[in-house]
Amino acid sequence: MNALEELRSGRLGEDFVKLLYRQLAVAAVRGQFPPPDGHGSWSMEAVLETAHDYLVDSTNYAGLTEIAARVEDEPGLRNYLTAALTNYLRAAGRRTTMGRLVRRLRDRLSEDDRFAWVPAGSPGAGNVMLSGQSSVPYGGPLAELAEAAAAVEVNVVRWRSSSKREGPLADTPALMAMSQAMLRKAQGSLSVPQLAEVMSRRLGVDPRSIPATIPVEDLGENLAVDMERHSSGRFDAHNLEVADALEVIFDELTEREILVLSALHEPIRIIADQTGMPVSTVGAVKQRVQLKLSTILREYHEADAETIAFAARDTARQHLGLDPV
């Protein structure tokens, strides 16, 4: 029973779980999502923890059932699953980042005499307000406060791309200035999550902008893939991403297209001489191969796409028993 058959049967067996781990690692590295709290990188433990969190959510399990009904084969399952996991990581990353922003705001607002907290028993209890100003809870749309936040000059704090820590998004004076501007606009009190929501839009909070630490550590023997076709065989997240891309590419190519791919760097006439195909045929096939490659590699970063394209050519040559370029 393969991964798709396991999913359709309602039993998440070994094949499906391996695929889930694998595509989770691929989605994490491709989207540059941060690893979960307590992990400096996307290690085996980080992948297992995140996969478990994904599966215990009943909403996600229902989504898997829907995927099983939609897809026709294993490549389709792999692609749908990667997309679903990417969306999950995006949402989880935003929740984590927003949570940190809320906690930081609460701490800084409590230390600043310009702000006060609405006391218990009053409307909007627990909200923050400007000292000496109205405590009436703001009832308008948050979008109307965005203009006030946008008018504040923000110094975004960024760590080095190699850092394992996440930057605090903005310095304290900017956060306090935005809070002050929004409360003036609201003419009343706001909850800290409301302040954070508007600020997140102003700051462009996107978990994908927080770099993950790569290469990722070995995910274990049970997740090993055959890397010898296109690399030295060292198993890390980058190689895993390349392997996944190559599977997608070769699922889409015919034998004739693989033949042309193996010499894609050569002019059409030379490919025709090497393959024995008519020049006109080579031209049409080469155009199809280039279109398929550009479509598949569109979602990758430019450097990764170039690496994958060269790996695809080399893999095609190995498939045909040809020497690497």
Side-chain angles (χ1 to χ4, degrees):
M1 187 178 288
N2 60 30
L4 181 55
E5 290 168 341
E6 288 177 350
L7 187 58
R8 285 175 174 169
S9 72
R11 185 181 72 85
L12 303 186
E14 182 179 355
D15 286 341
F16 177 80
V17 172
K18 285 182 180 179
L19 180 64
L20 178 69
Y21 294 159
R22 184 179 190 274
Q23 299 314 120
L24 178 60
V26 168
V29 174
R30 183 183 301 171
Q32 292 189 296
F33 293 104
D37 287 343
H39 298 275
S41 68
W42 280 104
S43 62
M44 178 176 67
E45 289 76 16
V47 171
L48 295 177
E49 178 183 315
T50 306
H52 176 266
D53 290 343
Y54 178 81
L55 287 175
V56 297
D57 188 321
S58 59
T59 303
N60 294 329
Y61 189 81
L64 290 177
T65 303
E66 183 179 345
I67 289 174
R70 279 187 174 189
V71 301
E72 298 179 355
D73 51 26
E74 290 268 314
L77 173 60
R78 184 182 64 233
N79 294 337
Y80 268 98
L81 186 58
T82 305
L85 290 168
T86 298
N87 289 336
Y88 171 75
L89 289 170
R90 183 178 292 116
R94 178 173 169 79
R95 285 195 300 271
T96 300
T97 305
M98 286 291 290
R100 291 195 181 99
L101 179 56
V102 167
R103 290 193 296 274
R104 186 160 182 259
L105 270 176
R106 197 180 300 279
D107 290 343
R108 297 298 179 266
L109 290 166
S110 297
E111 298 168 353
D112 196 318
D113 293 339
R114 292 174 294 177
F115 304 94
W117 300 95
V118 179
S122 300
N127 280 4
V128 65
M129 62 183 186
L130 292 173
S131 295
Q133 301 297 315
S134 172
S135 64
V136 176
Y138 175 68
L142 293 181
E144 291 189 2
L145 305 180
E147 185 177 344
V152 176
E153 183 175 347
V154 175
N155 294 316
V156 177
V157 180
R158 300 191 186 279
W159 299 142
R160 297 185 308 276
S161 61
S162 59
S163 175
K164 294 183 180 180
R165 296 184 298 164
E166 295 181 18
L169 299 178
D171 58 20
T172 297
L175 295 180
M176 297 301 96
M178 282 191 285
S179 298
Q180 207 170 18
M182 283 188 280
L183 287 166
R184 287 199 188 104
K185 179 75 173 179
Q187 297 182 348
S189 67
L190 292 163
S191 69
V192 177
Q194 284 177 317
L195 288 170
E197 175 62 31
V198 178
M199 286 184 191
S200 71
R201 301 173 191 174
R202 170 68 178 86
L203 297 170
V205 171
D206 183 348
R208 291 173 299 171
S209 68
I210 305 169
T213 303
I214 53 176
V216 174
E217 298 169 12
D218 190 345
L219 294 183
E221 290 298 323
N222 61 326
L223 299 180
V225 293
D226 179 11
M227 305 303 298
E228 294 179 358
R229 294 178 302 167
H230 56 274
S231 73
S232 62
R234 182 175 181 273
F235 185 82
D236 61 23
H238 180 71
N239 281 346
L240 184 58
E241 183 185 31
V242 172
D244 182 77
L246 290 179
E247 286 188 24
V248 173
I249 289 169
F250 283 92
D251 282 341
E252 295 294 325
L253 298 181
T254 64
E255 284 297 320
R256 178 177 284 184
E257 288 168 345
I258 292 173
L259 187 60
V260 171
L261 173 61
S262 70
L264 198 62
H265 58 290
E266 299 283 9
I268 291 175
R269 189 166 295 280
I270 292 179
I271 298 176
D273 291 341
Q274 291 178 350
T275 62
M277 288 190 288
V279 170
S280 59
T281 301
V282 171
V285 174
K286 185 173 184 177
Q287 188 174 26
R288 285 203 307 272
V289 171
Q290 290 172 327
L291 178 60
K292 288 181 178 181
L293 284 177
S294 64
T295 300
I296 293 169
L297 298 179
R298 190 177 299 154
E299 63 184 284
Y300 294 87
H301 302 292
E302 184 176 347
D304 293 334
E306 184 177 13
T307 298
I308 292 166
F310 283 124
R313 182 197 61 191
D314 293 344
T315 302
R317 294 184 69 82
Q318 287 182 332
H319 173 77
L320 298 169
L322 301 174
D323 292 331
V325 176

